[in-house]
Amino acid sequence: MAGSLLRSGVRRFPWLCNVLLYGGLFAAGDAAQQLWRRRRRGQPPDWAQTRRVALVALAFHGNFSYVWLRALERALPGRRPAAVLGKVLCDQLLGAPVAVLAFYTGMSILQRKEDIFSDCKKKFWNTYKTGLMYWPFVQVLCRVLMGFSWTTRSKKLNLMSQTLTQQQSKR
């Protein structure tokens, strides 16, 4: 019963579910990373940081991903090798930089930093290059083995992991 209710909710409100899932996964990724790292150092978690990460995901990443992945699917429909490679290439060359820039800039704005681009300048290339070493392979597998809706869901899980990578590159 609950499973069918959830599936019908996702079908009726895909945008809302996408945004809420992004917010939840980004927050969960940040919380897991903090609990793991801070426990080793004996420090309490910074829940304000987790709220900021969730807000950036709710305000930007969920919406951007929903629109961006639908546009890619419309522009390059199907699972043909050329379409899959085109989607992955477009996503990595156009979508990923926007997502990384938005994450660091959004976090700086929410932290009320004077120079909202300083973190982005310091961390962008490291985060982007790290993502390029992993995500294209995952995306190809997801797009070949699963349909569009599952690819969108797996992209959310990928972004949660990318949040962990981004947080680790803050060191």
Side-chain angles (χ1 to χ4, degrees):
M1 167 97 175
S4 66
L5 185 62
L6 181 62
R7 278 191 296 277
S8 69
V10 169
R11 283 190 198 110
R12 286 184 61 203
F13 308 105
W15 168 79
L16 179 62
C17 291
N18 191 70
V19 170
L20 292 175
L21 188 57
Y22 262 88
L25 289 175
F26 268 61
D30 183 76
Q33 180 269 330
Q34 283 197 58
L35 289 171
W36 178 71
R37 185 184 296 164
R38 288 177 176 259
R39 272 200 186 146
R40 289 188 346 187
R41 296 180 189 162
Q43 299 171 333
D46 180 3
W47 298 120
Q49 167 75 14
T50 301
R51 284 191 300 272
R52 287 189 293 269
V53 168
L55 186 56
V56 169
L58 287 168
F60 178 79
H61 285 280
N63 295 297
F64 174 73
S65 175
Y66 182 79
V67 172
W68 174 245
L69 293 176
R70 287 175 62 102
L72 278 179
E73 189 59 33
R74 283 191 193 116
L76 300 163
R79 295 188 204 177
R80 298 178 335 271
V84 169
L85 291 176
K87 285 182 237 186
V88 170
L89 203 69
C90 285
D91 191 36
Q92 291 304 309
L93 294 177
L94 302 172
V98 170
V100 172
L101 288 168
F103 179 79
Y104 286 127
T105 305
M107 290 299 292
S108 292
I109 290 169
L110 293 174
Q111 291 167 342
R112 295 186 172 112
K113 292 187 175 180
E114 276 203 29
D115 182 4
I116 61 170
F117 299 110
S118 66
D119 278 350
C120 200
K121 289 175 191 172
K122 290 180 213 166
K123 301 171 187 173
F124 174 81
W125 285 111
N126 188 39
T127 304
Y128 182 61
K129 287 187 291 185
T130 301
L132 284 176
M133 299 304 292
Y134 179 71
W135 300 126
F137 305 108
V138 172
Q139 286 180 317
V140 167
L141 282 175
C142 288
R143 291 184 189 278
V144 168
L145 299 176
M146 299 180 268
F148 170 70
S149 65
W150 285 106
T151 301
T152 303
R153 290 180 189 108
S154 69
K155 178 82 171 173
K156 292 173 187 66
L157 295 174
N158 291 346
L159 282 171
M160 182 178 82
S161 298
Q162 189 170 2
T163 299
L164 290 172
T165 303
Q166 290 168 348
Q167 293 295 323
Q168 290 171 351
S169 71
K170 287 183 177 182
R171 284 187 251 160

